[in-house]
Amino acid sequence: MSAFRMYLRVVSETLQPEEISERLGAEPDETTAIGSRRRPQSPPRSHSTWIRHAGRARPEDLEPVILAWGPDLAASLGRLALSGEAAVCLEIVQEIRDPDDPQQTGIALSPALLSWLATSHASLDIDQYIHHDCPDPAP
């Protein structure tokens, strides 16, 4: 499994996922709706999420996937973000299991991807998790 995964997330406190899809002219890979519940005993969600997955690979290998979503989607995301009705974010999740493996470390984003993100008015969120075996503490 790759040490990286990337996805685009749109969050709104006023729009349901279907409305986001209509505004973007694009379909998500997964959604959650305002008022839905994670479990029956959970409180209702106060926001909706609209997610499109780029995949699992190094970020530079996933850039063509995002860029293939096209400038029209980026512009629609930008209009939605500027309306104040939703927040747009590119999420990069990095899991490092071997810090000595150069394929698991380092994040480089091209000017083309940064331009796409700027057009979409998306923020960038990088979550990094380092998994390692720690020796047992001394008694």
Side-chain angles (χ1 to χ4, degrees):
M1 173 158 69
S2 172
F4 296 91
R5 65 187 165 96
M6 289 174 62
Y7 59 95
L8 181 71
R9 183 178 66 188
V10 179
V11 176
S12 177
E13 294 181 358
T14 59
L15 300 174
Q16 290 288 14
E18 304 81 29
E19 295 171 292
I20 295 171
S21 292
E22 185 177 317
R23 298 274 291 273
L24 298 178
E27 292 300 316
D29 293 318
E30 70 179 84
T31 63
T32 60
I34 297 169
S36 66
R37 297 173 188 267
R38 193 175 313 243
R39 292 179 296 282
Q41 67 275 21
S42 298
R45 288 184 170 93
S46 62
H47 63 275
S48 66
T49 57
W50 185 102
I51 294 174
R52 182 172 279 186
H53 297 281
R56 293 178 178 269
R58 289 203 44 84
E60 57 269 24
D61 296 329
L62 294 173
E63 283 188 17
V65 173
I66 295 169
L67 295 175
W69 294 342
D72 291 342
L73 179 58
S76 294
L77 288 162
R79 285 190 296 277
L80 185 58
L82 288 173
S83 76
E85 294 178 279
V88 178
C89 184
L90 179 66
E91 303 278 346
I92 299 176
V93 180
Q94 179 184 25
E95 293 192 37
I96 300 170
R97 297 185 185 283
D98 180 0
D100 296 324
D101 179 358
Q103 291 299 307
Q104 293 187 30
T105 58
I107 296 173
L109 304 177
S110 74
L113 180 61
L114 294 175
S115 178
W116 194 94
L117 292 174
T119 300
S120 68
H121 289 266
S123 61
L124 176 63
D125 182 18
I126 301 173
D127 294 332
Q128 297 175 303
Y129 303 95
I130 300 174
H131 305 277
H132 58 89
D133 293 324
C134 294
D136 289 333

